[in-house]
């Protein structure tokens, strides 16, 4: 074998001129500079290009410049192999370096391997192997890659695609975005390098120091640290779990909001809040929730439910306070109540039922609608009511009614009502039932006296300074009047009908919630907004699609024609290797052949 070597700049000009004359529909690969050229006489189609001491081999094609230490150019297939410190530049937008690059001038498909680094103005991609389709302006890897963007962090995945026209990355399989403040793990992630916007699909977590977010479809702005999540979305804080159909998150403000089917779980205090719009301020330990708002204090024996137009829960985990505003109601199996506002101090076990003066009626003849509490068969009202529970046993302990206290219970057999009223009321509970009642100042009573056989003995009506009452099984056992100023016991037929109700009597049993569902019976119809925004995931298109594979096949047809014409004198019609196809995965080429057979090709 004879090898002939000369300076390329003396000879290659002639080769280029021949190539340009043969190129009719496209431009062929150009070699503006090479220090040396070596031609193998047994394979004159392969030209070896080598750098000299002054500079690397320079290769050009259709707006792309390539430099390398050594290259092999196959003129018939317009194909080049570049070795050593390979650099590729496409205008001012794309810079790529690698140890080895193959490039077809016919298909404009490049393959790079060995410490591949692709840079664009906003990010840097590194991987072991990379395909670059210049027609579609897309880059593709399947051997794990890493993208670095200064303000967003580092993204790694097993498979990735870069769409240069849209400045968009599409990552698939084991996607991880690492930022100094958080880490995103996802099945699939679309990332826009200019805006820093990330779109996540499939099971995804965003883990930070103070929170962990989960969703199966979401958006995150890596520049401003804000996000929007749908489909099974939730945020886990240290002591709260926040769930909803649609969620917004602002890391810098430690703020989150949610819409539709919301659940906030206080893992420390075993409490739950539900509704259809909520806001959480983590740094302030504050939760605001509305639209069918419901607070649930989960207890071993009997949970407590509070419903109102608006709920707020504030305070550190060891001292939570729940505030229910506007048409507030409370329910447990043996207790229920209503007020304009209900405040609960969970540490003290104090529940306050309060009416707001601005909601009072201006009708002088109307009965004042005070806060109300029902326990077993007793109805209690007053200007404000305090209910105290034992936080350890989770049982009712005591009751305080301030100003205009009024207790009513229906007579067990007849049509009358037992009534007690006064300025203040203090009650004690035993086994969650009222056992004693003290009426302080201006006490008045009407109660029906019955013997052991439940026969009516008489009706007692009295006034005194104080009254103490003992109750069991919802029946008055004893009444002790202190400083009595007036009182009589009447036979039923002698008791005046117009005196059977004390002033301010208002029996409100029809308002009494008798189940959790009853808490909502006065609410207007619920209309939930339709969640819009993030669409379903659009699967990644095949990089080696029909259009690309057609280019590869067309290049092969041209290679065969060229080879046949060249070797016709020697009767050598053996088909040459299609170099443009040799790095394409075998499965893709086999699928293409099978598809062609089905079409009859």
């Amino acid at each position: 074998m004879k090898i002939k070597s000369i300076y390329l700049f003396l000879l290659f000009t002639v080769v280029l001129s021949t190539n340009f004359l043969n190129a009719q529909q496209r431009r062929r690969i150009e070699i503006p500079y090479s220090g040396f050229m070596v031609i193998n006489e047994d394979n004159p189609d392969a030209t070896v290009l080598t750098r000299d001491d002054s500079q690397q081999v320079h290769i050009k094609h259709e707006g792309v410049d390539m430099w390398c230490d050594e290259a092999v150019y196959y003129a018939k297939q317009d194909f080049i192999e570049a070795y050593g410190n390979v650099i590729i530049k496409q205008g001012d937008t794309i810079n790529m370096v690698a140890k080895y690059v193959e490039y077809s001038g016919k298909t404009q498909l490049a393959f790079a391997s060995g410490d591949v680094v692709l840079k664009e103005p906003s990010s840097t991609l590194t991987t072991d192997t990379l395909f670059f389709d210049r027609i579609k302006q897309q880059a593709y890897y399947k051997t794990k890659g890493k993208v670095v963007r200064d303000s967003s962090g580092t993204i790694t995945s097993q498979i990735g695609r870069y769409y240069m026209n849209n400045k968009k990355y599409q990552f698939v399989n084991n996607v991880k975005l690492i930022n100094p403040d958080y880490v995103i793990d996802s099945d699939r992630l679309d990332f826009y390098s200019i805006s820093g916007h990330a779109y996540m699909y499939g099971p995804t977590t965003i883990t930070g120091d103070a929170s962990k977010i989960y969703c199966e479809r979401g958006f995150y702005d890596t520049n401003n640290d804000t996000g929007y999540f749908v489909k099974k979305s939730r945020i886990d804080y240290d002591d709260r779990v926040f769930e909803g159909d649609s969620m917004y998150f602002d890391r810098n403000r430690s703020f989150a909001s949610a819409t539709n089917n919301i659940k906030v779980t206080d893992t420390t205090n075993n409490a739950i809040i539900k509704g259809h719009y909520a806001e959480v301020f983590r740094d302030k330990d504050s939760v605001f929730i509305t639209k069918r708002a419901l607070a649930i204090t989960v207890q071993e024996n009997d949970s407590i439910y509070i419903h109102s137009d608006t709920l707020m829960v504030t305070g550190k985990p060891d001292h939570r306070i729940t505030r229910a505003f506007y048409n507030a109601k409370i329910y447990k199996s043996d207790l229920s109540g209503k007020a304009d506002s209900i405040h609960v101090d969970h540490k003290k076990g104090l529940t306050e039922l309060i009416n707001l003066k601005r909601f009072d009626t201006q009708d002088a003849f109307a009965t004042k609608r005070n806060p109300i509490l029902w326990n077993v068969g007793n109805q209690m009202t007053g200007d404000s009511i305090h209910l105290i529970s034992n936080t350890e046993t989770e049982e009712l302990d005591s009751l305080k009614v301030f100003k205009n206290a009024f207790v009513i219970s229906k007579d067990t057999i007849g049509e009358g009502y037992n009534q007690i009223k006064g300025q203040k009321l203090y009650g004690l509970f035993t086994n969650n039932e009222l056992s004693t009642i003290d009426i302080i100042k201006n006490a008045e009573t009407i109660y029906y006296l019955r013997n052991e056989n439940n026969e009516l003995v008489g009706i007692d009506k009295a006034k005194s300074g104080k009254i103490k009452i003992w109750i069991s099984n919802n029946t008055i056992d004893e009444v002790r009047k202190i400083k009595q100023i007036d009182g009589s016991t009447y036979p039923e037929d002698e008791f005046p009908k117009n005196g059977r109700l004390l002033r301010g009597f208002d029996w409100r049993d029809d308002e009494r919630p008798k189940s959790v569902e009853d808490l909502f019976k006065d609410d207007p119809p619920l209309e939930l907004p339709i969640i819009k925004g993030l669409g379903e995931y659009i699967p990644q298109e095949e990089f080696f699609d029909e259009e690309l594979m057609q280019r590869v096949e067309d290049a092969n047809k041209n290679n065969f024609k060229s080879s046949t014409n060249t070797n016709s004198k020697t009767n050598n019609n053996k088909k040459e290797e299609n170099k443009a196809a040799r790095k394409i995965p075998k499965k893709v080429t086999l699928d293409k052949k099978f598809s062609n057979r089905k079409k009859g090709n």
Side-chain angles (χ1 to χ4, degrees):
M1 180 176 67
K2 296 181 179 179
I3 301 296
K4 179 171 61 178
S5 177
I6 63 174
Y7 283 102
L8 182 66
F9 65 88
L10 294 175
L11 179 63
F12 208 74
T13 304
V14 178
V15 176
L16 284 177
S17 300
T18 304
N19 288 342
F20 280 124
L21 291 173
N22 293 333
Q24 297 178 353
Q25 296 181 342
R26 62 174 183 83
R27 298 184 64 181
R28 296 174 62 86
I29 292 174
E30 303 174 45
I31 313 294
Y33 183 85
S34 178
F36 302 93
M37 177 184 74
V38 176
I39 298 176
N40 187 331
E41 292 185 347
D42 292 337
N43 185 12
D45 182 49
T47 303
V48 179
L49 312 170
T50 309
R51 67 165 298 163
D52 59 18
D53 293 338
S54 64
Q55 66 182 73
Q56 292 182 294
V57 177
H58 185 192
I59 303 157
K60 292 185 68 174
H61 186 252
E62 298 283 358
V64 164
D65 290 271
M66 183 189 307
W67 293 266
C68 62
D69 292 342
E70 186 176 71
V72 179
Y73 177 59
Y74 300 89
K76 293 178 184 177
Q77 299 197 34
D78 200 24
F79 186 87
I80 199 152
E81 299 170 348
Y83 301 87
N85 301 310
V86 184
I87 301 171
I88 294 178
K89 289 188 177 183
Q90 178 178 277
D92 297 328
T93 58
I94 298 296
N95 289 274
M96 184 172 73
V97 298
K99 290 181 178 179
Y100 173 74
V101 170
E102 292 183 2
Y103 179 75
S104 168
K106 294 181 179 181
T107 65
Q108 295 194 44
L109 176 66
F111 169 80
S113 66
D115 299 331
V116 182
V117 179
L118 187 149
K119 291 185 178 182
E120 53 98 16
S122 302
S123 63
T124 300
L125 164 66
T126 59
T127 184
D128 186 55
T129 60
L130 184 75
F131 290 92
F132 176 19
D133 186 342
R134 294 193 55 231
I135 299 295
K136 294 187 293 188
Q137 285 294 291
Q138 294 179 19
Y140 167 77
Y141 65 83
K142 61 174 183 176
T143 53
K144 195 172 183 179
K146 178 174 71 174
V147 172
V148 178
R149 184 178 184 271
D150 291 341
S151 59
S152 301
T154 301
I155 307 173
T156 58
S157 70
Q158 185 64 37
I159 300 172
R161 183 93 66 92
Y162 179 53
Y163 300 84
M164 298 174 186
N165 293 333
N166 297 328
K167 309 297 182 188
K168 170 188 172 182
Y169 287 94
Q170 197 169 40
F171 302 101
V172 180
N173 292 356
N174 302 320
V175 185
K176 184 183 287 288
L177 188 157
I178 300 176
N179 181 281
D181 297 324
Y182 56 86
V183 175
I184 298 178
D185 290 282
S186 182
D187 279 356
R188 302 178 294 273
L189 186 145
D190 291 355
F191 183 79
Y192 291 84
S193 60
I194 298 296
S195 63
H197 291 175
Y199 294 84
M200 302 155 292
Y201 303 92
T204 300
T205 59
I206 305 175
T207 306
D209 292 336
S211 64
K212 183 177 181 179
I213 300 168
Y214 176 86
C215 72
E216 294 188 3
R217 197 185 315 154
F219 160 82
Y220 198 82
D221 184 340
T222 61
N223 286 337
N224 298 309
D225 276 335
T226 59
Y228 172 64
F229 316 108
V230 296
K231 194 175 181 182
K232 299 182 181 180
S233 52
R234 61 180 277 173
I235 303 174
D236 290 19
Y237 295 108
D238 291 336
D239 49 37
R240 280 192 175 108
V241 178
F242 188 24
E243 302 170 82
D245 287 356
S246 170
M247 305 188 77
Y248 171 80
F249 177 78
D250 188 329
R251 187 178 303 278
N252 296 322
R253 295 168 56 204
S254 297
F255 169 80
S257 64
T259 303
N260 292 1
N261 300 307
I262 298 157
K263 181 180 179 182
V264 183
T265 304
D266 185 335
T267 55
T268 302
N269 295 287
N270 207 19
I272 298 171
I273 307 173
K274 295 182 177 182
H276 294 285
Y277 178 77
E279 296 178 355
V280 174
F281 297 85
R282 184 185 61 82
D283 288 348
K284 298 179 181 179
D285 284 295
S286 172
V287 177
F288 164 90
I289 194 163
T290 187
K291 290 189 177 180
R292 295 286 175 94
L294 179 67
I296 307 170
T297 302
V298 181
Q299 297 181 344
E300 183 177 353
N301 299 320
D302 190 9
S303 297
I304 300 173
Y305 300 84
I306 297 176
H307 165 63
S308 65
D309 177 78
T310 302
L311 283 169
M312 286 190 67
V313 180
T314 57
K316 298 294 182 182
D318 60 347
H319 196 172
R320 297 278 198 228
I321 295 175
T322 299
R323 296 177 174 87
F325 299 102
Y326 316 121
N327 195 26
K329 301 175 186 177
I330 186 171
Y331 171 80
K332 65 194 298 282
S333 63
D334 48 24
L335 179 83
S336 57
K338 286 180 64 177
D340 289 339
S341 177
I342 297 177
H343 294 192
V344 182
D345 187 321
H346 297 275
K347 183 177 183 179
K348 296 179 180 178
L350 173 63
T351 301
E352 302 175 68
L353 284 76
I354 305 166
N355 267 22
L356 306 177
K357 290 184 178 180
R358 66 175 181 270
F359 295 139
D360 287 349
T361 178
Q362 302 301 313
D363 187 350
F365 298 98
T367 302
K368 187 177 180 181
R369 306 298 282 179
N370 284 325
I372 185 168
L373 200 65
W374 293 273
N375 173 246
V376 191
N378 300 300
Q379 172 187 297
M380 292 157 279
T381 57
D383 285 6
S384 63
I385 300 174
H386 289 190
L387 189 66
I388 297 94
S389 301
N390 187 316
T391 56
E392 294 183 0
T393 64
E394 299 179 349
E395 291 187 344
L396 297 173
D397 179 81
S398 57
L399 170 73
K400 297 178 182 179
V401 182
F402 301 98
K403 292 185 180 181
N404 302 309
F406 207 128
V407 181
I408 304 172
S409 64
K410 207 169 190 328
D411 182 41
T412 53
I413 297 177
E415 298 296 325
Y417 295 90
N418 296 309
Q419 302 160 59
I420 308 166
K421 67 175 290 189
Q423 280 299 303
K424 296 179 182 178
L425 180 152
Y426 298 108
L428 294 176
F429 291 88
T430 302
N431 296 324
N432 286 326
E433 293 186 9
L434 268 175
S435 55
T436 61
I437 295 177
D438 288 286
I439 300 292
I440 310 298
K441 196 175 181 180
N442 301 331
E444 297 182 53
T445 62
I446 295 177
Y447 70 94
Y448 290 72
L449 303 173
R450 294 185 179 275
N451 60 22
E452 295 178 353
N453 298 320
N454 274 331
E455 296 172 339
L456 184 62
V457 176
I459 302 173
D460 184 84
K461 183 174 184 179
K463 293 181 180 181
S464 59
K466 296 180 181 179
I467 295 178
K468 190 173 186 69
I469 302 169
W470 285 264
I471 303 171
S472 64
N473 298 321
N474 197 33
T475 302
I476 295 176
D477 296 330
E478 180 184 350
V479 177
R480 186 176 299 172
K481 302 162 188 172
I482 304 169
K483 296 181 181 180
Q484 181 173 346
I485 57 175
D486 185 22
S488 298
T489 301
Y490 302 87
E492 184 178 18
D493 56 356
E494 295 181 12
F495 189 54
K497 289 187 177 181
N498 60 358
R500 296 190 178 193
L501 300 178
L502 296 177
R503 184 180 177 85
F505 176 92
D506 186 15
W507 182 244
R508 298 164 58 185
D509 192 62
D510 60 330
E511 301 177 37
R512 181 176 185 171
K514 295 175 180 164
S515 65
V516 177
E517 291 73 20
D518 280 353
L519 295 174
F520 304 97
K521 67 181 181 180
D522 298 330
D523 289 8
L526 181 64
E527 295 183 6
L528 297 180
I530 298 173
I531 303 301
K532 298 180 180 179
L534 297 176
E536 296 284 350
Y537 176 70
I538 300 175
Q540 194 177 78
E541 297 176 355
E542 288 290 339
F543 181 81
F544 300 99
D545 59 9
E546 289 189 10
E547 188 274 333
L548 172 56
M549 295 307 296
Q550 189 62 53
R551 276 186 270 146
V552 173
E553 187 174 330
D554 290 344
N556 191 36
K557 290 177 181 177
N558 293 334
N559 294 339
F560 179 68
K561 290 178 181 178
S562 176
S563 175
T564 302
N565 293 335
T566 303
N567 298 304
S568 58
K569 294 181 180 180
T570 59
N571 197 29
N572 180 13
N573 293 332
K574 185 179 179 181
K575 191 174 182 180
E576 294 184 9
E577 174 198 22
N578 183 12
K579 299 186 186 301
R582 65 184 181 185
K583 294 298 182 181
I584 295 175
K586 291 182 179 179
K587 183 179 184 304
V588 176
T589 55
L590 289 173
D591 288 347
K592 177 66 176 176
K593 290 179 180 178
F594 178 75
S595 176
N596 288 339
R597 289 197 191 104
K598 289 183 69 176
K599 295 177 182 178
N601 293 335

